[in-house]
mmCIF file of all heavy atoms in Angstrom:
data_model
loop_
_atom_site.group_PDB
_atom_site.id
_atom_site.type_symbol
_atom_site.label_atom_id
_atom_site.label_comp_id
_atom_site.label_asym_id
_atom_site.label_seq_id
_atom_site.Cartn_x
_atom_site.Cartn_y
_atom_site.Cartn_z
ATOM 1 N N VAL A 225 61.564 97.251 136.719
ATOM 2 C CA VAL A 225 62.127 96.484 135.647
ATOM 3 C C VAL A 225 61.105 95.917 134.727
ATOM 4 O O VAL A 225 60.023 95.428 135.268
ATOM 5 C CB VAL A 225 62.753 95.233 136.364
ATOM 6 C CG1 VAL A 225 63.413 94.266 135.294
ATOM 7 C CG2 VAL A 225 63.960 95.693 137.195
ATOM 8 N N SER A 226 61.274 96.017 133.405
ATOM 9 C CA SER A 226 60.326 95.504 132.444
ATOM 10 C C SER A 226 60.333 93.971 132.441
ATOM 11 O O SER A 226 61.383 93.316 132.643
ATOM 12 C CB SER A 226 60.774 96.120 131.053
ATOM 13 O OG SER A 226 59.962 95.455 129.979
ATOM 14 N N SER A 227 59.130 93.344 132.146
ATOM 15 C CA SER A 227 59.104 91.950 132.215
ATOM 16 C C SER A 227 59.937 91.364 130.955
ATOM 17 O O SER A 227 60.573 90.239 131.124
ATOM 18 C CB SER A 227 57.736 91.370 131.988
ATOM 19 O OG SER A 227 57.127 91.993 130.861
ATOM 20 N N ASP A 228 59.978 92.033 129.879
ATOM 21 C CA ASP A 228 60.788 91.561 128.693
ATOM 22 C C ASP A 228 61.970 92.483 128.551
ATOM 23 O O ASP A 228 61.740 93.806 128.425
ATOM 24 C CB ASP A 228 59.922 91.492 127.425
ATOM 25 C CG ASP A 228 58.986 90.399 127.526
ATOM 26 O OD1 ASP A 228 59.338 89.281 127.979
ATOM 27 O OD2 ASP A 228 57.836 90.658 127.114
ATOM 28 N N PRO A 229 63.207 92.028 128.305
ATOM 29 C CA PRO A 229 64.296 92.956 128.135
ATOM 30 C C PRO A 229 64.275 93.729 126.846
ATOM 31 O O PRO A 229 63.751 93.217 125.823
ATOM 32 C CB PRO A 229 65.525 91.981 128.175
ATOM 33 C CG PRO A 229 64.911 90.672 127.753
ATOM 34 C CD PRO A 229 63.593 90.606 128.292
ATOM 35 N N PRO A 230 64.708 94.961 126.841
ATOM 36 C CA PRO A 230 64.573 95.833 125.649
ATOM 37 C C PRO A 230 65.772 95.214 124.651
ATOM 38 O O PRO A 230 66.702 94.678 125.038
ATOM 39 C CB PRO A 230 64.914 97.162 126.048
ATOM 40 C CG PRO A 230 65.801 97.057 127.289
ATOM 41 C CD PRO A 230 65.345 95.866 128.014
ATOM 42 N N CYS A 231 65.567 95.556 123.321
ATOM 43 C CA CYS A 231 66.505 95.258 122.326
ATOM 44 C C CYS A 231 67.232 96.555 121.997
ATOM 45 O O CYS A 231 66.658 97.507 121.687
ATOM 46 C CB CYS A 231 65.839 94.817 121.006
ATOM 47 S SG CYS A 231 66.967 94.525 119.594
ATOM 48 N N ILE A 232 68.649 96.458 122.115
ATOM 49 C CA ILE A 232 69.497 97.609 121.829
ATOM 50 C C ILE A 232 70.381 97.334 120.557
ATOM 51 O O ILE A 232 71.235 98.045 120.334
ATOM 52 C CB ILE A 232 70.326 97.976 122.977
ATOM 53 C CG1 ILE A 232 71.201 96.755 123.510
ATOM 54 C CG2 ILE A 232 69.557 98.500 124.189
ATOM 55 C CD1 ILE A 232 72.452 97.121 124.325
ATOM 56 N N ILE A 233 69.890 96.489 119.718
ATOM 57 C CA ILE A 233 70.646 96.204 118.530
ATOM 58 C C ILE A 233 70.928 97.352 117.537
ATOM 59 O O ILE A 233 71.812 97.703 117.176
ATOM 60 C CB ILE A 233 70.076 95.026 117.693
ATOM 61 C CG1 ILE A 233 70.266 93.677 118.437
ATOM 62 C CG2 ILE A 233 70.595 94.960 116.316
ATOM 63 C CD1 ILE A 233 71.656 93.090 118.352
ATOM 64 N N GLU A 234 69.662 98.144 117.468
ATOM 65 C CA GLU A 234 69.680 99.236 116.610
ATOM 66 C C GLU A 234 70.648 100.357 117.272
ATOM 67 O O GLU A 234 71.409 100.978 116.482
ATOM 68 C CB GLU A 234 68.302 99.745 116.503
ATOM 69 C CG GLU A 234 68.145 100.670 115.218
ATOM 70 C CD GLU A 234 66.671 100.843 114.940
ATOM 71 O OE1 GLU A 234 65.800 99.987 115.208
ATOM 72 O OE2 GLU A 234 66.251 101.843 114.307
ATOM 73 N N LYS A 235 70.608 100.523 118.542
ATOM 74 C CA LYS A 235 71.470 101.548 119.190
ATOM 75 C C LYS A 235 72.913 101.105 119.072
ATOM 76 O O LYS A 235 73.734 101.955 118.699
ATOM 77 C CB LYS A 235 71.086 101.640 120.719
ATOM 78 C CG LYS A 235 72.032 102.587 121.548
ATOM 79 C CD LYS A 235 71.981 104.082 121.039
ATOM 80 C CE LYS A 235 70.655 104.715 121.330
ATOM 81 N NZ LYS A 235 70.539 106.072 120.951
ATOM 82 N N LEU A 236 73.248 99.749 119.325
ATOM 83 C CA LEU A 236 74.645 99.400 119.182
ATOM 84 C C LEU A 236 75.063 99.669 117.775
ATOM 85 O O LEU A 236 76.280 99.958 117.492
ATOM 86 C CB LEU A 236 74.681 98.010 119.567
ATOM 87 C CG LEU A 236 74.556 97.702 121.017
ATOM 88 C CD1 LEU A 236 74.709 96.239 121.330
ATOM 89 C CD2 LEU A 236 75.613 98.387 121.859
ATOM 90 N N CYS A 237 74.269 99.325 116.781
ATOM 91 C CA CYS A 237 74.623 99.538 115.317
ATOM 92 C C CYS A 237 74.871 100.872 115.012
ATOM 93 O O CYS A 237 75.892 101.206 114.302
ATOM 94 C CB CYS A 237 73.522 98.950 114.410
ATOM 95 S SG CYS A 237 73.585 97.209 114.421
ATOM 96 N N SER A 238 74.133 101.819 115.506
ATOM 97 C CA SER A 238 74.296 103.308 115.305
ATOM 98 C C SER A 238 75.527 103.821 115.927
ATOM 99 O O SER A 238 76.245 104.681 115.530
ATOM 100 C CB SER A 238 73.085 104.074 115.694
ATOM 101 O OG SER A 238 72.931 104.070 117.134
ATOM 102 N N LEU A 239 75.848 103.253 117.058
ATOM 103 C CA LEU A 239 77.021 103.759 117.881
ATOM 104 C C LEU A 239 78.297 103.099 117.428
ATOM 105 O O LEU A 239 79.331 103.782 117.577
ATOM 106 C CB LEU A 239 76.840 103.432 119.384
ATOM 107 C CG LEU A 239 75.774 104.265 120.122
ATOM 108 C CD1 LEU A 239 75.582 103.697 121.563
ATOM 109 C CD2 LEU A 239 76.053 105.726 120.145
ATOM 110 N N HIS A 240 78.290 101.918 116.874
ATOM 111 C CA HIS A 240 79.450 101.120 116.647
ATOM 112 C C HIS A 240 79.562 100.571 115.234
ATOM 113 O O HIS A 240 79.959 99.433 115.036
ATOM 114 C CB HIS A 240 79.623 100.082 117.699
ATOM 115 C CG HIS A 240 79.747 100.566 119.054
ATOM 116 N ND1 HIS A 240 80.802 101.256 119.585
ATOM 117 C CD2 HIS A 240 78.813 100.562 120.119
ATOM 118 C CE1 HIS A 240 80.611 101.541 120.811
ATOM 119 N NE2 HIS A 240 79.384 101.212 121.145
#
Side-chain angles (χ1 to χ4, degrees):
V225 177
S226 171
S227 57
D228 290 318
C231 174
I232 58 166
I233 289 288
E234 202 162 332
K235 174 62 72 175
L236 291 177
C237 287
S238 67
L239 291 173
H240 302 286

